Amino acid sequence: MSAREQRQGTSDAALSRQRVVAEAVRLADREGVHGLSMRRLAGALGAGAMSLYYYVANKEELLDAMIDLVFEEIELPPEETDWQSAMRRRAASARQVLARHPWAIGLMESRTSPGPANLRHREAVTACLRRAGFPVLMATHANWLLDSYVYGFALQEASLPFDTPDEFADMTEDVFLPQLPPDEFPYLNESAAVLAAAGYDPAEEFAFGLDLVLAALERLRVPA
């Protein structure tokens, strides 16, 4: 047996489903999920490609497990507080998790074989809404609306060309404003100038929009 084969055999013996899935998530975090393949993953693990199939049957099962790991990182809505506070904490946690794993945004609702963390999360969210007085249909509406808001915001935030208020101000002054002559775009020019000067932080939009969503949903529940 060659030295390479010996090293590969040692790596294969050290594998576990947990390690395979965790490494797949790390790869997706760095390079996106579209370039993830069993061969690429095996190389990162220093293992034989065929050895991975002992832990996951195919790439779809791997994606199921990766998404389950993402759901496991999201805080469950706490039971010891009111429903709006619970949903606010859960939404803020989901936003933070998706910022770490932006590749997962488009896959969160796509899995037809959800894992245990996925199911626990959905059960906890539904239980929170039902206990708050939302009938089954209204709880479903609320769940869809909240998820759509969180996923949509996370997707938009992941695509922004700046990360901080200072970067936003610099980009506005150096890039955006020169493209907005006041005689042609008076309102956009004014908005850009005022926001840059005020130290506007686009990240604050998340709480603003979430509060509006929660306030609108409050009218649809039937308190005990």
Side-chain angles (χ1 to χ4, degrees):
M1 180 182 291
S2 68
R4 178 180 179 183
E5 289 172 332
Q6 288 178 334
R7 288 194 300 271
Q8 181 173 299
T10 301
S11 298
D12 289 355
L15 287 180
S16 67
R17 179 180 172 90
Q18 182 179 14
R19 185 183 169 209
V20 167
V21 175
E23 184 60 35
V25 169
R26 281 191 287 270
L27 276 175
D29 289 345
R30 292 197 304 267
E31 304 172 15
V33 76
H34 296 297
L36 179 65
S37 66
M38 301 299 272
R39 185 176 297 278
R40 176 76 178 85
L41 178 58
L45 289 164
M50 295 307 296
S51 65
L52 300 188
Y53 291 100
Y54 179 80
Y55 304 98
V56 288
N58 48 47
K59 187 175 179 181
E60 286 304 306
E61 185 175 316
L62 176 63
L63 290 174
D64 287 340
M66 292 167 65
I67 291 299
D68 206 54
L69 198 60
V70 173
F71 268 107
E72 193 170 6
E73 293 182 23
I74 301 175
E75 180 181 357
L76 298 179
E79 297 182 12
E80 67 277 5
T81 186
D82 64 278
W83 80 271
Q84 288 200 32
S85 297
M87 289 294 101
R88 191 175 286 108
R89 282 178 59 175
R90 177 258 179 178
S93 176
R95 176 195 176 193
Q96 293 170 355
V97 170
L98 293 175
R100 294 196 295 269
H101 311 297
W103 57 268
I105 298 171
L107 296 173
M108 298 292 280
E109 302 301 317
S110 71
R111 313 322 301 160
T112 57
S113 298
N118 189 332
L119 293 176
R120 281 195 302 270
H121 186 92
R122 296 180 188 281
E123 174 69 13
V125 171
T126 302
C128 178
L129 294 170
R130 294 286 287 116
R131 285 195 294 263
F134 288 92
V136 171
L137 183 58
M138 285 302 172
T140 303
H141 289 332
N143 203 344
W144 271 92
L145 180 58
L146 287 164
D147 282 352
S148 297
Y149 177 75
V150 173
Y151 297 158
F153 193 96
L155 181 63
Q156 185 175 29
E157 192 169 40
S159 67
L160 292 175
F162 46 80
D163 294 318
T164 67
D166 287 341
E167 290 180 3
F168 169 79
D170 290 342
M171 183 161 288
T172 297
E173 293 172 354
D174 298 339
V175 179
F176 297 146
L177 272 174
Q179 302 178 64
L180 302 171
D183 57 334
E184 187 175 0
F185 303 105
Y187 292 104
L188 289 178
N189 180 282
E190 178 191 34
S191 296
V194 170
L195 293 175
Y200 169 73
D201 185 359
E204 295 177 356
E205 295 294 347
F206 183 77
F208 177 82
L210 182 60
D211 284 345
L212 291 181
V213 171
L214 294 172
L217 290 173
E218 172 66 23
R219 301 195 301 268
L220 303 178
R221 73 186 185 97
V222 181

